[in-house]
Amino acid sequence: MPDSLRRFKADIFQALAHPTRIAIMELLEGRELSAGELMEKLRMEQANISQHLAVLRAKQLVVNRKAGNQVFYSVRDPIISKVLALMRRYFQKHLKDTMELLEEMHDSVIPPER
Amino acid sequence: MPDSLRRFKADIFQALAHPTRIAIMELLEGRELSAGELMEKLRMEQANISQHLAVLRAKQLVVNRKAGNQVFYSVRDPIISKVLALMRRYFQKHLKDTMELLEEMHDSVIPPER
DNA sequence: TGCGAATATTCGACCCTTCGCATATAGTAT
DNA sequence: ATACTATATGCGAAGGGTCGAATATTCGCA
């Protein structure tokens, strides 16, 4: 496989390599949401969400549809959703190790989420 | 889904988000290779391969087995190979768009590979 | 046309990753 | 022990990603 293709594939993973973008992709599984709805569900700054959407758009992981004042996003190809689903299986399978790793990683105490 | 888990999942993608590491994972599909064999197949510096292996090890995408003088690597869970396989399907499906994107991305001329 | 709402883009600071180089560790053999 | 091979780790420089704040664009409506 030529390196240019591998670089491209790496870029796709790179696009998925951010918690917010994963959250966006998971929220978009099977349905369409506007940028505003995403912003509200994720409780993040408008500009920030928009930047992450720009990344996902640039790598063509999502497509957008303008409807009046709003822009609706959806996942471009269900294969990507399958990838995310596989990842969920992977995490369930290795949940114990995952937790241990998590603790090592932020090696002291994980602040409680609220 | 808690954000800590999503961060962890993002880290997995991050680990895959490099052409060299994708190459390593693909070479390891279904078989075991030593660090030296990987280095030779990929024609990269020893230290560099070793650093990439360290990343893959840290995220537990590969496991290693010491045998005398050498260290053999293999993929920890075939689910990850499935993810890579899905990605290959995705690329075949969108090959035309992929190529166009590639040209936009290094938007002038792509230096010939040798 | 002008205004307000929804979304996008730009900018600068900070941080993290990657590379090459140098060095360290682990194992084998003599 | 010494020497040699295989692999790993530490370090600094360069590059790229992420964030918040400010600004720009696009659309609908009066």
Side-chain angles (χ1 to χ4, degrees), chain A residues 78-105:
Chain A
I79 289 184
I80 299 298
S81 293
K82 275 194 189 175
V83 168
L84 290 171
L86 269 182
M87 277 299 183
R88 280 194 287 273
R89 258 184 61 203
Y90 179 80
F91 285 115
Q92 286 166 16
K93 194 169 169 186
H94 299 291
L95 198 55
K96 221 185 310 173
D97 318 334
T98 299
M99 288 312 183
E100 290 167 10
L101 253 193
L102 276 176
E103 296 195 357
E104 284 175 29
M105 283 163 63

Side-chain angles (χ1 to χ4, degrees), chain B residues 58-100:
Chain B
K59 304 302 166 49
Q60 307 206 332
L61 293 179
V62 299
V63 292
N64 56 344
R65 171 179 75 83
K66 294 196 180 184
N69 215 1
Q70 294 165 290
V71 181
F72 288 90
Y73 283 88
S74 51
V75 314
R76 178 207 193 192
D77 191 312
I79 289 184
I80 299 298
S81 294
K82 274 194 189 175
V83 168
L84 290 171
L86 268 183
M87 278 297 183
R88 280 193 287 273
R89 256 184 62 202
Y90 180 80
F91 285 116
Q92 287 166 15
K93 193 169 170 186
H94 299 291
L95 198 55
K96 220 185 309 172
D97 318 334
T98 300
M99 287 313 183
E100 290 166 9

Side-chain angles (χ1 to χ4, degrees), chain B residues 10-73:
Chain B
D11 282 342
I12 300 285
F13 283 121
Q14 177 79 304
L16 291 173
H18 194 281
T20 301
R21 292 197 290 268
I22 291 182
I24 290 175
M25 292 302 284
E26 290 185 338
L27 282 172
L28 290 183
E29 265 176 53
R31 66 177 158 178
E32 212 186 35
L33 290 176
S34 71
E37 287 169 318
L38 286 169
M39 171 187 126
E40 154 188 323
K41 282 177 188 295
L42 293 173
R43 302 189 164 283
M44 309 197 68
E45 300 219 351
Q46 182 270 326
N48 201 353
I49 292 286
S50 194
Q51 284 170 333
H52 284 299
L53 286 173
V55 172
L56 294 173
R57 237 185 307 125
K59 304 302 166 49
Q60 307 206 332
L61 293 179
V62 299
V63 292
N64 56 344
R65 171 179 75 83
K66 294 196 180 184
N69 215 1
Q70 294 165 290
V71 181
F72 288 90
Y73 283 88

Side-chain angles (χ1 to χ4, degrees), chain A residues 14 21 24-25 28 32-33 35-36 52 55 59 61 72-73 82 84 95 112-113:
Chain A
Q14 177 79 304
R21 292 197 290 269
I24 290 175
M25 292 302 285
L28 290 182
E32 213 185 34
L33 291 176
H52 285 299
V55 172
K59 303 301 165 50
L61 293 179
F72 287 90
Y73 284 87
K82 275 194 189 175
L84 290 171
L95 198 55
E113 317 205 7

